[in-house]
Amino acid sequence: MVQRLEGRVAVVTGGGSGIGLATARRFASEGAKVVVADLDPASGKAAADEVGGLFVQVDVTDEEQVKALFQTTVDTYGKLDIAFNNAGISPPDDDSILTTGLEAWERVQKVNLTSVYLCCKYAIPHMQAGGKGSIINTASFVATMGAATSQISYTASKGGVLAMSRELGVQFAREGIRVNALSPGPVNTPLLRELFAKDPERAARRLVHVPLGRFAEPEEIAAAVAFLASDDSSFMTASNFLVDGGIAGAYVTPL
Ligand SMILES: NC(=O)c1ccc[n+]([C@@H]2O[C@H](COP(=O)([O-])OP(=O)(O)OC[C@H]3O[C@@H](n4cnc5c(N)ncnc54)[C@H](O)[C@@H]3O)[C@@H](O)[C@H]2O)c1
């Protein structure tokens, strides 16, 4: 593995599972020191131990805990180079606008959008201190595409992540801090499996729209995150980085 992240310090929120776990592994294999931040202590600690990093238990909706996460990172490893703000939820009670209640709407907004606001707010000053940094915020292809199978708060939250990432990328560009939104297509993770992969009809309804004809593996998303984290993407900021198997570009897909 190329060592593009040698000597870099990275925080991965939601690092205990799915895309976050695959990315923690990928970051470590490219030479980074990784801080795994997750609500779940069992999976988070296991991930951190596996990659030889630090586990910090954090609820990304809690301002004090998020502030402490980035301070602990700098106190432990001396600096902050990379923030992968990735923790997110997609609960079943977030559905059509006609049936989704205010409590579900607000819960999803807090975990998926307010968390990214908090993580950027408390990561950026450490990056300013170092004169450099790469922030990757996990949005989704639904920030770009409309779905008839709605999860209204999820979609709106990811649209917010995309717009916020663009604005921050522009605002901090000349301070050496890059901010990009990562927009995965459907990925074969617990979150997606719980939602519909266990139901072949629901999965088939979605797969027909994917030119590549399958869901992504978390490692394929992690490879894109490592690119955005590294200097290989040094001329990219404020972008919507779609890793979606061609969904957003498709009209008619192959049989
Ligand atoms: N799986 C997909 O198909 C897909 C597609 C596009 C975007 N995404 C996005 O990718 C991100 C990761 O998704 P995944 O599929 O890997 O999910 P996952 O459920 O496998 O992992 C999410 C992790 O986040 C943690 N988490 C949840 N709430 C938290 C909180 N309040 N504080 C701290 N940690 C918390 C969980 O404990 C878990 O370890 C999410 O933002 C999701 O919306 C996923």
Side-chain angles (χ1 to χ4, degrees):
M1 191 64 73
V2 285
Q3 296 292 294
R4 292 182 298 185
L5 306 179
E6 184 74 54
R8 306 281 167 92
V9 177
V11 170
V12 178
T13 71
S17 174
I19 295 168
L21 174 59
T23 301
R25 288 174 174 149
R26 176 75 188 227
F27 279 180
S29 74
E30 292 209 31
K33 297 254 184 293
V34 181
V35 176
V36 173
D38 207 293
L39 191 59
D40 179 40
S43 60
K45 173 106 176 52
D49 288 349
E50 183 190 327
V51 302
L54 178 74
F55 171 61
V56 178
Q57 184 175 10
V58 56
D59 178 346
V60 288
T61 68
D62 184 302
E63 182 165 12
E64 287 310 311
Q65 290 184 31
V66 169
K67 194 174 173 182
L69 163 67
F70 291 104
Q71 191 58 52
T72 302
T73 300
V74 173
D75 291 347
T76 306
Y77 292 120
K79 60 178 180 150
L80 174 71
D81 299 297
I82 299 158
F84 181 36
N85 301 321
N86 162 76
I89 55 170
S90 175
D93 55 350
D94 175 21
D95 202 282
S96 160
I97 195 168
L98 301 177
T99 55
T100 301
L102 194 56
E103 188 280 325
W105 165 272
E106 286 177 342
R107 178 166 20 98
V108 171
Q109 292 296 315
K110 267 184 105 171
V111 179
N112 289 6
L113 180 57
T114 307
S115 69
V116 176
Y117 151 76
L118 289 173
C119 287
C120 291
K121 185 178 176 68
Y122 290 108
I124 287 170
H126 294 297
M127 293 177 171
Q128 286 177 312
K132 194 170 186 295
S134 176
I135 296 177
I136 304 104
N137 295 324
T138 307
S140 166
F141 71 108
V142 298
T144 300
M145 312 278 297
T149 50
S150 184
Q151 289 185 277
I152 194 60
S153 186
Y154 182 90
T155 295
S157 73
K158 295 304 188 179
V161 169
L162 178 59
M164 179 162 46
S165 304
R166 186 167 51 224
E167 188 138 303
L168 296 176
V170 172
Q171 183 182 353
F172 294 100
R174 298 197 187 175
E175 296 186 53
I177 300 167
R178 299 185 295 110
V179 186
N180 291 290
L182 173 85
S183 290
V187 186
N188 187 17
T189 64
L191 185 142
L192 174 132
R193 279 198 294 274
E194 186 187 311
L195 199 64
F196 56 71
K198 62 187 174 196
D199 179 341
E201 262 190 55
R202 294 185 81 188
R205 176 157 188 200
R206 287 152 176 87
L207 278 171
V208 72
H209 297 287
V210 189
L212 286 179
R214 62 177 176 83
F215 299 131
E217 292 304 321
E219 292 73 21
E220 294 176 291
I221 307 301
V225 184
F227 167 70
L228 290 173
S230 80
D231 294 343
D232 278 353
S233 60
S234 52
F235 203 58
M236 286 186 64
T237 197
S239 83
N240 177 16
F241 199 68
L242 280 155
V243 187
D244 68 349
I247 297 173
Y251 170 35
V252 177
T253 58
L255 285 173

